[in-house]
Structure formats: structure tokens, C-alpha cells
Amino acid sequence: MSLTVESVTTQEEACRLPSFDSNVAWEIGHIIRANVQKKFTRPAVIYIAHANSSQLLFFATSGPGTLPDNMHWVKRKEAVVLRWGCSTMRMRLSLQTKTKTLQEVYEMSDPSIYAVHGGGFPVKVEGVEGVVGVIVVSGLAQEDDHSVIVDGIQEYLAKNP
């Protein structure tokens, strides 16, 4: 499936959770990790944190071979989600439709704190305004980083309606 701003926005809305706490974060993180292990040979980092405090709720690698650079990508993707309240994939696709860079649109002098590559996703809860958490996957192709998060949340929601 080819991703568009509209399709990713629809994914984000469909992935709203009924609630979010450390137990939910652990379950979603565990699902994502298991799916990465099943579907990919490359290792990835899975990171879930609260939005208001960056309190770490889940952190794991899918296997050996991740690098310190993966954590750099995690923090840069997290920064996009927290600043703009949307997935890094949606931000990337939005910028592509404008044929502009993040630096051009937001007049940034130091873009190194942000990464508009798929794999950062907002945690939103029904009836709650704004982002309550962030899920980031780093280590796969950016489309795969994004899709394993969406698939993991959808799998969680199917088990916990």
C-alpha cells in the first residue's frame, strides 16, 4: 500500500487507544518486538514514553546488532512527534507534497534535533486532547519502522477493544 498524508492520518485516528499507562505500553511494546522478530532479520529498537515527561515506559531491541546511532534516531523522531503531534511518516509525506524541507517550512537553524523519517508515532487516547505518549521504532527501513507500530497498535486494539 502506498502511503499518503490522508492514509497515514486515517491510521493515526484508527490507532486511538481507550486508555494508556505502563501496562498498555508494555503490551504494545511486546507485540511490536515480537512482530519485528518474526518479520525482519535486521534488529530494531522499540521505545515507548509518556509525552508529558518523556518517562520511559518500554525499551527493547528485537535482537543483537543495534547501534548507539539507533537511539539518536529515536530521540530525533520523538522530537517530531512531540512538537507537531503527528507521526514522523505523516510529517515526511506532508513535506514531500510541498516539495520543501523541514528547515525551509519551519525556518530552523539546527535541524539535527528532528528526523522526519517513518518510525515515530503519537499515542492518543479517546476523549483526551493531544498526544499522551510516543512510540518509536528505529533500525528498519522507514516504511517498516512505521508499519510495525501501526500493526502493533491495531493488534493490541483487536485484543483489547
Side-chain angles (χ1 to χ4, degrees), residues 26-92:
W26 190 90
E27 287 185 53
I28 292 172
H30 183 68
I31 290 167
I32 293 170
R33 182 176 187 267
N35 288 345
V36 171
Q37 289 175 320
K38 279 187 256 176
K39 298 176 183 176
F40 302 96
T41 56
R42 288 179 65 179
V45 167
I46 301 98
Y47 170 98
I48 303 176
H50 271 297
N52 64 348
S53 64
S54 294
Q55 178 186 4
L56 186 60
L57 300 174
F58 183 91
F59 181 84
T61 63
S62 63
T66 59
L67 301 169
D69 191 51
N70 290 114
M71 199 59 205
H72 181 68
W73 280 96
V74 164
K75 297 311 284 180
R76 292 174 64 213
K77 291 176 184 184
E78 178 184 42
V80 170
V81 174
L82 292 176
R83 181 165 177 183
W84 289 285
C86 68
S87 70
T88 53
M89 183 59 78
R90 178 159 49 126
M91 178 62 80
R92 180 179 187 80

Side-chain angles (χ1 to χ4, degrees), residues 13 43 46 95 101 124 132:
E13 287 305 312
I46 301 98
L95 291 169
T101 66
K124 295 183 178 180
V132 299

Side-chain angles (χ1 to χ4, degrees), residues 97-150:
T97 63
K98 297 173 185 171
T99 62
K100 299 230 181 226
T101 66
L102 191 68
Q103 296 82 357
E104 292 169 326
V105 173
Y106 295 99
E107 299 179 1
M108 294 180 177
S109 59
D110 183 11
S112 67
I113 59 172
Y114 300 102
V116 287
H117 295 270
F121 202 88
V123 176
K124 295 183 178 180
V125 173
E126 293 292 339
V128 177
E129 186 176 346
V131 175
V132 299
V134 180
I135 302 173
V136 181
V137 172
S138 174
L140 308 173
Q142 65 177 325
E143 296 82 3
D144 296 330
D145 282 348
H146 176 82
S147 69
V148 295
I149 296 170
V150 172

